[in-house]
Amino acid sequence: MSTSNITFSEAEALDFHSRGRPGKIEIVATKPMATQRDLALAYSPGVAVPVLAIAEDPGKAYDFTAKGNLVAVISNGTAILGLGNLGALASKPVMEGKAVLFKRFADVDAIDLELDTEDVDAFVNAVALMEPSFGGINLEDIAAPDCFIIEQRLKERMNIPVFHDDQHGTAIITAAGLINACLLTGRELRDIRVVVNGAGAAAIACTELIKALGVRGDHVIMCDRKGTIRKDRTDLDQFKSAHAVDTDAQNLHEALVGADVFLGLSAAGALKPEMMMKMAPSPIIFAMANPDPEISPPDAKAARPDAIVATGRSDYPNQVNNVLGFPFIFRGALDVRASAINDAMKIAAANALAELAREPVPEEVAIAYGGAEQHFGPEYIIPAPFDPRLIEVIPAAVAQAAMDSGVARKPIADMDAYRSQLRARLNPTASVLSLAFQAAQSNPKRVLFAEGEEPNVLRAAIAFKEGGYGTPVLVGREKVRDMLAELGVDPAGYEVLNSRNSPLVGRAVDYIYAKHQRNGMLRREIERMVNQDRNTFTAAMLALGEGDAMITGTTRPFSQSLAQVRTVIDEEQGTTPFGITIIAGKRRTLLIADTAVNERPTEQQLAAMAIRSAAFARRMGQEPRVAFISYTTFGNPPGRHIAELRDAVKLLDTLATDFEYEGEMGPDLALDYEAQRKYYPFSRLTGPANILIMPGLQSANISSKLLRALGGENMLGPYLMGMALPVQIAPMTASSSDLVTLAVLASGLADTAVRPRPA
């Protein structure tokens, strides 16, 4: 149930999956493999030692192999998303995607396995035989009723967690929302009357879980295509008959009379407004059909303004999204080496989610909703998918329930320490970037794309628009429209500004002339610049309010683009423009400055960079620790060009700063906190540095690019800081995806920008 309002072209989806290395996952060694000794330890003869240890004690497999953090995502492709039975091979992109979500949200390694069989016995045997390889099994996209049989038989045969997410993931998130909806409307679970529309895997799982939570069995009426599931029906299989009740209601319309809750896992439009009129006061509506709900929230609210409504969509409040559940549930189960995921663990996850939604909402989550304050209430009964607290709260609750219910084979002695370990697994950069994209959807802006005739830029503009992040404004000649058509979109849906004939040219010239007429620039010179240079014209459009942010850089060097932009747009008062590059590694995120502008910054500029970089780090959810980097550490060895770094530290000492800083020091020391404590106990840093202020442009730029090229790190930026208006200059090598990210980040600063007036 993770359908969202994001749209994209088929070409973009295919390009995403095929670009570079095909697919979405790879396997990376976690131990060094550089020397002959490394290989001898990794394989023969060194590998014999853990082999013998595991043969003597099978539990040692969790200590000496990846088993304890490895989940198999398995399908036969008989019920792929909402697409039906398309076969095992066609399900592979979905299963790879599931593996990516496991890693992204809970640092669980997952491998997709597609089994080419619809024979239940063959499927069960194949999976059961793989038990030695994995710490858990996530079943996915298997049609009912086979999914029930497969899961039950695997649970009976295997001694590791087996979890069919299509059933239980939806059920857990739904149960969390139901707990909170009942709390808001003054209901007790044991008293509510529920109508479940749909009798597939998810519907039956939801029904079973809410009953386990306390909803009375005779208070739940389930409906399928033939009507209500009654005890007098003779066409029910064992899974439906388990939920048959005595009722006079023959259909959904009759069943809903007086009902408190509607759980829809059926088809679009199944719930009509007139049906809601017969429900109890303050009805609770879970319309979770995929991709379109049984009733849209606006229609539901129009019929019953007192209703609480949840769907599977991200463009409405209260999204029932499975990603809130399965990564974190497996995380907790794996960490205690659980032999199963039982009802107690599922109930614990549902309660933990419900409780989290009642807590004050973090600022970064509020930003993702357009800055609107989010708080527990009818439109916030389920936590947001990118709430950074999920990684700490849900696995801990699941692990505790596993221990309490006796299925944990490695109990956790110190839960506080475990929570700290969980927090460390989350890369804050990935979380904040995800929130930035959600914020853009909630508060879309007009972004000016200065190089509108470049195919890469056009693809980025299309993705920006179809992703719902804002309105792209393309600067270029009329051929831009033909290029848009060639890329498969309607040119009429895009605004194009031509600097040669736009009626805005005169305003642009007036603005720049007023700014520079006393600096020796002639009006005809400015006219030529506006007509011929897209950066000059686009920057003027930004200054005049025709857009909220600006993206450029793919057709010329960074320095040249910046010089053209600075002709029109001033620096932010009290600072200097500089570039921050984000290096998002597996276990840590580094900010490196200045990677773009100042060749030999002064001590004042270095101090200003540190202050702005620290503020930027806080926006990304990090507690800033700044290190001024040099080839020398506190004067050893002595050398030249370190005075500016030392003076920058002294300057910060005189200011009221709210972050840690230290230097000058080598990068190896800056990132090794234990070495700092051992050799330089006077260091003011309380952990490894996460902001590296480099002594010059060359070292900063070279270092960041080497990290990406040699370490395979994900490099974002450089992100331009210090301009009065939101401008981002992309590297010439930027992909369309990079451009979209920069556009989203730039638009996020639009509300705080103060537009200067010409002198």
Side-chain angles (χ1 to χ4, degrees), residues 229-430:
I229 294 177
R230 306 178 306 280
K231 288 185 176 180
D232 60 352
R233 280 179 55 175
T234 59
D235 59 344
L236 302 177
D237 60 30
Q238 66 186 86
F239 306 104
K240 292 183 182 180
S241 63
H243 302 287
V245 294
D246 290 319
T247 179
D248 295 330
Q250 300 293 307
N251 52 46
L252 176 63
H253 196 293
E254 295 175 3
L256 282 170
V257 175
D260 299 289
V261 180
F262 170 85
L263 294 185
L265 297 119
S266 52
L271 180 62
K272 308 299 182 185
E274 56 269 23
M275 297 180 184
M276 290 184 62
M277 301 305 293
K278 299 294 182 68
M279 294 181 69
S282 301
I284 299 167
I285 308 297
F286 281 77
M288 297 177 287
N290 187 359
D292 297 312
E294 285 82 359
I295 189 169
S296 72
D299 289 344
K301 286 288 191 179
R304 291 293 299 268
D306 58 339
I308 294 177
V309 185
T311 71
R313 295 177 63 104
S314 66
D315 49 342
Y316 295 119
N318 300 325
Q319 183 190 15
V320 178
N321 189 333
N322 282 19
V323 81
L324 287 163
F326 70 85
F328 311 110
I329 292 165
F330 268 97
R331 177 76 275 151
L334 291 171
D335 289 340
V336 294
R337 298 183 188 174
S339 58
I341 294 174
N342 56 26
D343 280 350
M345 295 159 75
K346 289 183 279 188
I347 290 171
N351 281 320
L353 281 167
E355 291 169 8
L356 183 59
R358 299 197 291 269
E359 295 291 326
V361 179
E363 181 182 0
E364 56 264 41
V365 176
I367 291 172
Y369 285 85
E373 182 181 353
Q374 296 295 314
H375 56 83
F376 178 57
E379 295 197 344
Y380 195 86
I381 60 173
I382 302 171
F386 293 104
D387 191 319
R389 299 170 297 176
L390 288 164
I391 184 63
E392 176 186 353
V393 172
I394 310 306
V398 170
Q400 187 65 57
M403 291 187 287
D404 294 343
S405 60
V407 297
R409 290 173 292 192
K410 186 186 177 184
I412 295 169
D414 188 338
M415 288 300 292
D416 289 336
Y418 176 55
R419 285 173 175 267
S420 297
Q421 294 169 9
L422 290 169
R423 286 194 297 270
R425 286 183 176 274
L426 182 65
N427 185 325
T429 301

